[in-house]
Amino acid sequence: MSKTKAGSPQTIIHPLEPLYREDSKVLILGSFPSVKTREYGFFYGHPQNRFWPLMATLFQEKISNRIEDRRDFLLRHQIALYDSIYQCDIVGSSDASIQKVIPSDLSPIFSAADIRQVFCNGNTSYQYYQKYHAEACGLPGVKLPSTSPANARYRLADLRDAWQVITLPLG
């Protein structure tokens, strides 16, 4: 499906490869990459998304905007990253508009990495993880508040308090 007018859904295939390696212990799943993330070429690329400031706060480490630095940070901290959805029809970056979902294949991550816990960045990710992945992966997902700028009711300090749990399986 191609975009015919403003506000029309587009069929988008996930443009990013999952990030993980053998020693990854935590898998953080988003729902589907935003327009800005797709343009940037790496996860959580929207400058107003609080994912990267949150990671810097949780791990007390400065993280640059360079994709290579962000990849290195996640892998050093044994964090794998991907999304619950591989393909969908979506209007812009709106999770509420998602239709015709094809779930991501998480089996390569689980077969190669030592994933001990799955954390879902927001409700949409959690819903699709529960629907398509939880049973096959054998791990319940933990729903965390979204780092998206659309989730304005959570301040960075609130996110830090909720997301602190991701550091536990790493200890």
Side-chain angles (χ1 to χ4, degrees), residues 41-161:
F42 194 62
F43 299 93
Y44 303 104
H46 193 295
Q48 291 177 322
N49 192 297
R50 286 144 324 149
F51 181 83
W52 293 109
L54 176 61
M55 292 298 113
T57 298
L58 287 174
F59 291 93
Q60 299 177 356
E61 189 175 327
K62 187 174 173 146
I63 307 169
S64 84
N65 291 335
R66 294 182 55 232
I67 291 172
E68 301 79 21
D69 293 340
R70 290 176 171 189
R71 288 176 54 86
D72 177 63
F73 169 86
L74 293 165
L75 295 174
R76 263 189 301 109
H77 289 287
Q78 300 175 310
I79 297 171
L81 212 53
Y82 202 44
D83 291 302
S84 295
I85 300 169
Y86 174 72
Q87 179 181 313
C88 65
D89 289 1
I90 188 169
V91 177
S93 301
S94 170
D95 279 1
S97 73
I98 291 173
Q99 302 173 34
K100 300 181 184 174
V101 167
I102 296 174
S104 296
D105 179 7
L106 301 180
S107 62
I109 300 170
F110 280 92
S111 62
D114 182 26
I115 301 299
R116 299 177 184 178
Q117 186 63 63
V118 176
F119 296 98
C120 298
N121 188 348
N123 192 52
T124 303
S125 170
Y126 179 75
Q127 288 177 334
Y128 286 107
Y129 178 78
Q130 293 304 316
K131 182 174 183 176
Y132 294 114
H133 305 293
E135 188 176 328
C137 295
L139 289 173
V142 175
K143 178 172 55 172
L144 296 173
S146 174
T147 60
S148 167
N151 185 16
R153 72 174 201 198
Y154 276 84
R155 296 170 302 140
L156 186 59
D158 300 323
L159 290 171
R160 180 201 62 225
D161 293 346

